[in-house]
Amino acid sequence: MTEMTPRQVAAKALSLLDLTNLADDCDAAAIETLCAQAVTPFGHAAAICIWPRFVAQARGTLGPNSAVKIATVVNFPSGDLPVETVVAEARQAIADGADEIDLVIPYKALLAGDEAAVRTMVTAVRDVCAPPVLLKTILETGELKDPGLIRNASHIAISAGSDFIKTSTGKVPVNATLEAADIMLNAIRESGRNVGFKPAGGVRTVGDATLYLNLAATIHGPDWAIPSTFRFGASGLLNDILAMLDGRGHSTSASAY
């Protein structure tokens, strides 16, 4: 396998980026900025990932047939809302124009041994995500901690109909890690299903992105990571990607996501 140059990694990472603003103080102006940032001179991000209340605005800004998808979050970030509330959130977001739903599983219930709660939640939200809407399930691996539990959560989410499994909300002390990524990528391989992977939270540089892409290539092959199978959930990563692509080298970002 030919190793990609940092610039090639940057270009690939841009195409896989869910450019994210889930800040508590996000407002309409920030959404306008995010939509503009998602389209660069070097290509466009895969998606923007935003709070549900901004989906309709983003759809109006990007237009009905934008190459940049709109992802939004439900049951976020706590993971402990009632199923009917989460289903209503998802249904409304899709009606407002969301292309992708990022669902936090009830990970606290799973920690307490309740696997059925996870399966019930994912299945219920899957039922309202009619194709081509994608369902990406957030496992909150930094809270699950135990490798066996992360693997189990991955398999439950996959078997219940997830299109992607995602590490984190970005709202807890430990977010994406290579250790969790390894477990989740292997769970996808073990499942035999065409399911994608999304590390989120803490992926800030092209160097970080390289580590995750190399891991995915090792487990699934060099051509596996494309927008339909791999996303980065990040905000600050875009700064480093653009710095690399326009020849400025690496930038730094204080972003927490």
Side-chain angles (χ1 to χ4, degrees), residues 158-215:
I158 292 168
S159 66
S162 301
D163 296 302
F164 272 74
I165 51 175
K166 172 179 171 180
T167 59
S168 321
T169 60
K171 299 288 190 180
V172 294
V174 176
N175 293 291
T177 66
L178 287 168
E179 292 77 11
D182 182 75
I183 295 165
M184 294 168 69
L185 286 163
N186 273 294
I188 292 168
R189 182 177 56 80
E190 291 160 3
S191 76
R193 300 193 180 196
N194 185 29
V195 173
F197 170 68
K198 178 177 172 179
V203 184
R204 296 184 177 89
T205 69
V206 172
D208 293 338
T210 301
L211 296 175
Y212 285 97
L213 289 172
N214 285 346
L215 181 61

Side-chain angles (χ1 to χ4, degrees), residues 5-218:
T5 67
R7 197 174 191 282
Q8 288 172 323
V9 173
K12 187 175 185 71
L14 175 61
S15 74
L16 304 175
L17 180 61
D18 282 4
L19 183 60
T20 300
N21 189 335
L22 294 170
D24 293 338
D25 61 353
C26 184
D27 59 16
I31 295 300
E32 293 297 313
T33 298
L34 196 74
C35 290
Q37 289 174 329
V39 181
T40 84
F42 306 101
H44 61 81
I48 58 170
C49 187
I50 57 178
W51 292 106
R53 64 183 178 273
F54 296 117
V55 168
Q57 177 195 344
R59 177 52 68 206
T61 300
L62 291 171
N65 301 307
S66 173
V68 178
K69 302 301 184 184
I70 298 174
T72 193
V73 291
V74 298
N75 205 22
F76 188 94
S78 68
D80 54 13
L81 294 175
V83 171
E84 58 271 20
T85 301
V86 181
V87 167
E89 281 186 323
R91 186 178 283 117
Q92 184 60 57
I94 294 165
D96 287 345
D99 300 296
E100 303 174 3
I101 299 295
D102 287 26
L103 162 71
V104 183
I105 68 167
Y107 64 88
K108 295 168 194 169
L110 184 61
L111 281 165
D114 188 357
E115 296 182 3
V118 179
R119 193 175 302 278
T120 298
M121 179 68 77
V122 176
T123 301
V125 178
R126 168 78 274 167
D127 286 347
V128 300
C129 293
V133 177
L134 294 181
L135 174 60
K136 292 139 82 186
T137 49
I138 304 171
L139 308 186
E140 202 68 292
T141 54
E143 295 295 286
L144 295 180
K145 297 184 177 70
D146 179 73
L149 202 54
I150 294 169
R151 182 177 180 274
N152 193 30
S154 299
H155 280 294
I156 294 169
I158 292 168
S159 66
S162 301
D163 296 302
F164 272 74
I165 51 175
K166 172 179 171 180
T167 59
S168 321
T169 60
K171 299 288 190 180
V172 294
V174 176
N175 293 291
T177 66
L178 287 168
E179 292 77 11
D182 182 75
I183 295 165
M184 294 168 69
L185 286 163
N186 273 294
I188 292 168
R189 182 177 56 80
E190 291 160 3
S191 76
R193 300 193 180 196
N194 185 29
V195 173
F197 170 68
K198 178 177 172 179
V203 184
R204 296 184 177 89
T205 69
V206 172
D208 293 338
T210 301
L211 296 175
Y212 285 97
L213 289 172
N214 285 346
L215 181 61
T218 298

